[in-house]
Amino acid sequence: MSKDIFQVYPLIDKKKKGQRLTDKEIKWFIQSYTDKKIEDYQMSAMLMAMFIQGMDVSETAALTDAMLESGEQLKFTGKNVIDKHSTGGIGDKASFILAPIASAAGVKVPMIAGRGLGHTGGTVDKIEAIKGFNTALDLKVFQEKLNKEGLVLIGQTPDIAPADRLIYALRDVTATIDSIPLITASIMSKKLAEGANGIVFDIKCGTGAFMRTTKDARVLGKSLIATSKRFKKKAVALITDMNQPLGNAVGHSNEIIESIETLKGKGPKDITDLSIALAAHMIHLAGVEKTFDKALKKAHLMVDSGKALEEFRKLLKSQGGDDRVIDDYSLLPQATEVTKVTAAKAGYIKMFQNDQIGLLLIELGGGRKSKADKIDHAVGFNFEKKIGDKVKKGETIFVIHHHAQQKEIAEKIKSTFLKEVLVMSASKVKTPKLIIEKLS
Ligand code: URA
């Protein structure tokens, strides 16, 4: 505990008036809150003051540091320990593809991933569609596995940045989630604790992302990179499109199948291109290849040679998962019924209200309405058409995979999709650019 003594009220008042808080003040506040010496309502007031007044780079770094120091911090030797962080979206299964690619190329990948949040899906929930896969390894085992296998994937543990866990729960109910400095400190405290030497950020932007505009995504990307630099970590951020699902599959088993298909070189173009680009940045940051072009070639080679797929198999085996799913998708939980949504008229797909797709998946049981809910890995969606595609009258656009007893809910999803998610155009529509910008 910091020896400096401050008082809660004047610090909230100072931030409320838009004045800078010192490192010591921020660290005292966060430590005192974690030690339960500051009440939730006082922390809420401070969070709202931070949200409204904003925080500069050094305040954000102090907040990151305070949250980081509230828990355990892993350390790895060597420059080649690199992770990726996505700010979350719909159909984002890139971790399952890029991590084995990077690992096969010689990068060590320590992934501590999240569960579904709001309308977005979670990497940990998705991999748990594979029977036996253990995402709850303790940090000692996590460290040992990373050193031995070069790739490990677990969920958040109570030992990593516990202050963030407490503050995040408060932000979730006090309308203080969408603040750039608060998001930065929350993400960075967890990423730094996990011990990576470099981080590749995938900043999602569009109707299915927390950042709706390129401008906001750029501000978040710059903030994450500036904070990484302050902590002497190498970092690159890609701003990527999230106005439609990534790939064609949405849902847990569905997305695992699409990830395996992509590792076999048969995935949709968008998820393939993005996973390879992100993996190439990891390979480059790790210093495995001197130029990004060489790293990109290497990433392609890892897929084409089947090495990345074998690395995924190794990951499943190492964490108790049934690796037979790679050759037999029927071993994954699967829904038996399909309801198709077809085009009422000919035209072009103009846009999807992408966050709604995540909410419809929750409605179908493929997400949580409350913390204790169990995820149904079997249900999901498949997109047969994406933005810019030409559609004939009666052609299938969207397929709902559901259980026999869910016919009524599938019909409701169909009608919501047509009314609130899908926008068609009579004239040609340009395919959105997948990788919008790179920040480094
Ligand atoms: N993800 C996080 O870990 N924290 C945030 O604040 C937002 C997204």
Side-chain angles (χ1 to χ4, degrees):
M1 178 77 185
S2 153
K3 287 193 187 68
D4 302 284
I5 299 300
F6 299 101
Q7 282 185 21
V8 179
Y9 184 101
L11 292 189
I12 300 173
D13 193 46
K14 190 175 174 188
K15 193 70 230 171
K16 180 188 80 182
K17 290 176 177 148
Q19 293 161 18
R20 263 197 89 250
L21 293 176
T22 65
D23 289 10
K24 283 183 179 169
E25 286 168 340
I26 291 174
K27 288 186 180 176
W28 177 83
F29 208 97
I30 299 301
Q31 274 184 18
S32 305
Y33 177 65
T34 314
D35 294 343
K36 304 207 172 349
K37 290 180 182 145
I38 290 182
E39 302 290 344
D40 278 354
Y41 52 82
Q42 292 170 310
M43 188 71 216
S44 303
M46 177 57 102
L47 288 169
M48 189 55 84
M50 287 171 164
F51 179 97
I52 291 173
Q53 295 295 350
M55 292 202 285
D56 67 19
V57 177
S58 77
E59 285 178 294
T60 307
L63 182 61
T64 305
D65 210 17
M67 302 211 294
L68 170 67
E69 283 176 1
S70 70
E72 278 196 45
Q73 295 173 51
L74 303 181
K75 290 219 167 21
F76 296 104
T77 47
K79 287 185 195 153
N80 64 338
V81 184
I82 310 286
D83 193 11
K84 184 252 4 179
H85 180 83
S86 155
T87 56
I90 307 295
D92 185 3
K93 56 207 60 89
S95 291
F96 308 123
I97 305 155
L98 62 87
I101 297 176
S103 173
V107 181
K108 288 199 167 171
V109 188
M111 290 208 144
I112 301 186
R115 296 197 180 270
L117 178 69
H119 64 272
T120 67
T123 297
V124 172
D125 293 327
K126 292 174 196 179
I127 194 86
E128 284 176 352
I130 300 174
K131 201 165 159 235
F133 193 92
N134 184 3
T135 59
L137 306 177
D138 74 32
L139 288 179
K140 196 167 168 279
V141 179
F142 176 82
Q143 243 166 325
E144 283 165 6
K145 278 204 186 294
L146 185 74
N147 287 328
K148 189 164 164 245
E149 314 283 352
L151 171 59
V152 52
L153 196 172
I154 62 167
Q156 295 296 337
T157 84
D159 319 318
I160 293 277
D164 175 63
R165 186 178 284 251
L166 295 170
I167 291 170
Y168 196 93
L170 215 49
R171 286 168 60 210
D172 207 17
V173 290
T174 55
T176 48
I177 290 281
D178 49 343
S179 144
I180 303 268
L182 296 181
I183 294 177
T184 302
S186 167
I187 291 174
M188 289 305 301
S189 59
K190 289 173 288 201
K191 287 287 134 186
L192 293 167
E194 140 198 310
N197 313 114
I199 310 157
V200 175
F201 295 102
D202 181 8
I203 318 282
K204 301 283 182 204
C205 157
T207 55
F210 290 115
M211 299 291 124
R212 295 288 154 123
T213 64
T214 309
K215 192 170 156 231
D216 284 349
R218 199 178 288 132
V219 177
L220 177 59
K222 284 187 175 167
S223 171
L224 288 167
I225 289 184
T227 310
S228 303
K229 286 210 172 123
R230 277 204 160 229
F231 286 89
K232 303 199 165 29
K233 303 287 175 188
K234 296 174 279 185
V236 170
L238 299 186
I239 298 177
T240 68
D241 181 64
M242 193 25 77
N243 283 301
Q244 58 184 339
L246 191 55
N248 302 332
V250 177
H252 298 74
S253 289
N254 269 3
E255 291 193 39
I256 292 294
I257 295 172
E258 190 167 79
S259 305
I260 298 171
E261 283 292 290
T262 307
L263 285 168
K264 290 177 181 170
K266 296 184 283 185
K269 185 168 167 26
D270 58 351
I271 182 69
T272 303
D273 288 354
L274 183 62
S275 306
I276 289 198
L278 291 166
H281 280 295
M282 293 169 79
I283 295 167
H284 188 214
L285 274 196
V288 170
E289 291 293 350
K290 288 217 161 49
T291 67
F292 177 71
D293 284 350
K294 282 190 179 164
L296 196 59
K297 274 196 193 124
K298 183 145 219 164
H300 277 286
L301 183 67
M302 293 304 109
V303 176
D304 299 345
S305 62
K307 285 192 178 154
L309 184 67
E310 282 321 300
E311 204 64 22
F312 186 66
R313 190 186 296 279
K314 214 173 92 189
L315 170 72
L316 297 189
K317 279 189 175 155
S318 139
Q319 293 188 223
D322 184 354
D323 66 304
R324 293 173 307 159
V325 299
I326 291 177
D327 308 300
D328 183 358
Y329 299 145
S330 72
L331 293 170
L332 287 163
Q334 305 248 350
T336 48
E337 304 284 312
V338 292
T339 294
K340 292 184 176 179
V341 180
T342 55
K345 54 180 193 260
Y348 295 85
I349 308 282
K350 184 173 180 191
M351 73 160 264
F352 296 112
Q353 192 54 49
N354 206 9
D355 54 349
Q356 282 286 335
I357 296 162
L359 297 177
L360 292 177
L361 182 68
I362 295 174
E363 216 43 59
L364 197 59
R368 295 182 191 83
K369 284 186 181 166
S370 66
K371 263 192 188 170
D373 283 353
K374 269 209 148 62
I375 297 248
D376 183 350
H377 295 106
V379 297
F381 307 133
N382 217 69
F383 283 74
E384 298 205 355
K385 299 284 173 188
K386 302 279 289 278
I387 298 177
D389 283 350
K390 191 175 179 181
V391 184
K392 288 187 208 136
K393 186 178 170 193
E395 243 189 316
T396 303
I397 297 174
F398 176 70
V399 183
I400 306 162
H401 296 262
H402 58 91
H403 300 290
Q405 68 276 20
Q406 289 183 305
K407 286 208 166 94
E408 208 175 305
I409 168 134
E411 285 304 318
K412 268 197 208 149
I413 289 175
K414 181 175 172 177
S415 127
T416 309
F417 183 83
L418 287 167
K419 277 194 232 138
E420 295 174 23
V421 178
L422 174 71
V423 182
M424 299 267 293
S425 158
S427 49
K428 270 195 174 176
V429 176
K430 257 176 95 177
T431 310
K433 196 171 172 200
L434 180 63
I435 299 175
I436 300 164
E437 211 168 287
K438 180 188 143 196
L439 311 168
S440 57

